[in-house]
Amino acid sequence: MQTRIHDLASAPQAATKILQGAQDDFGMIPNLLGVLAESPPTLEAYTTLGGLFGESALTDIERNVVWLTISFENDCHYCVPAHTAIAMRDDVPEETIEKLRAGESLNDSKLEALRNFTALMVRNRGRASEAELETFLEAGFEQRHVFEVILGIAHKTISNYVNHVAETPVDEPFKKFDWNKAEAA
């Protein structure tokens, strides 16, 4: 499939407001958003879900654990580098980022419970046993966090799947964080 990466001039009118916002916020239109612009409803869904996930009760570090775990589990060549940069911006410890990029256990028990629960939910397509839910809750999370992990999965599933189909090129600012699951694991 020939994938088109839109800019402000080529994007459907319904996508230009979101692309302009990205240009204003980041000084660039990330390739993922340029690809998603082909379908303005999908672009809007992705950015809306991302905004809602940002309003969750999860901390910045916890959100980054969720994003990187999902992207690792879904083997997303684009999202792991992009979320590495975001995690660094959000002051996630470098050791935590490296462990997430390698799919390894985290030293912090609460963050490890979050990583493990997120990975379990992705692998099991949203199914968790009562014992698995209890383990997550006993680590210091609440029922709302279960649902917010699911929100994060919905958000990243859009981008991970689009990047698989579109083979979205990694943006220049993220290339220094290139990633390959086979090499990372």
Side-chain angles (χ1 to χ4, degrees):
M1 178 171 90
Q2 181 72 20
T3 301
R4 193 170 181 186
I5 303 174
H6 287 282
D7 57 23
L8 289 168
S10 68
Q13 183 63 34
T16 57
K17 182 178 178 185
I18 293 172
L19 295 184
Q20 185 64 59
Q23 179 69 47
D24 294 345
D25 290 347
F26 310 124
M28 63 177 265
I29 297 170
N31 287 337
L32 170 61
L33 299 185
V35 168
L36 285 169
E38 182 70 23
S39 171
T42 307
L43 173 63
E44 184 175 356
Y46 176 74
T47 57
T48 299
L49 287 172
L52 293 170
F53 189 60
E55 296 173 13
S56 74
L58 296 167
T59 67
D60 285 347
I61 290 176
E62 291 168 344
R63 280 191 298 275
N64 279 284
V65 167
V66 171
W67 280 325
L68 277 165
T69 301
I70 297 162
S71 298
F72 175 88
E73 290 298 323
N74 284 330
D75 192 12
C76 187
H77 76 282
Y78 180 95
C79 288
V80 171
H83 282 289
T84 297
I86 292 167
M88 293 177 83
R89 179 203 68 199
D90 289 346
D91 296 322
V92 176
E94 187 174 327
E95 178 185 12
T96 300
I97 295 169
E98 290 308 313
K99 286 181 176 281
L100 290 165
R101 287 171 55 94
E104 296 175 357
S105 297
L106 303 177
N107 295 333
D108 179 290
S109 61
K110 185 174 182 185
L111 293 179
E112 174 55 17
L114 177 61
R115 185 196 71 81
N116 189 53
F117 182 73
T118 302
L120 174 130
M121 291 294 285
V122 172
R123 291 178 197 148
N124 295 339
R125 293 176 177 82
R127 290 182 177 85
S129 69
E130 193 62 39
E132 291 163 335
L133 287 166
E134 284 304 314
T135 298
F136 180 65
L137 297 174
E138 288 171 2
F141 292 100
E142 300 171 10
Q143 185 177 14
R144 73 177 292 167
H145 297 113
V146 171
F147 300 145
E148 290 170 350
V149 166
I150 294 168
L151 173 61
I153 293 169
H155 176 236
K156 282 292 92 192
T157 298
I158 292 172
S159 59
N160 292 172
Y161 286 17
V162 165
N163 290 323
H164 291 323
V165 172
E167 298 180 9
T168 309
V170 175
D171 299 284
E172 194 59 43
F174 309 140
K175 283 187 178 179
K176 63 185 169 193
F177 306 118
D178 270 351
W179 177 85
N180 178 298
K181 188 174 186 177
E183 294 171 8

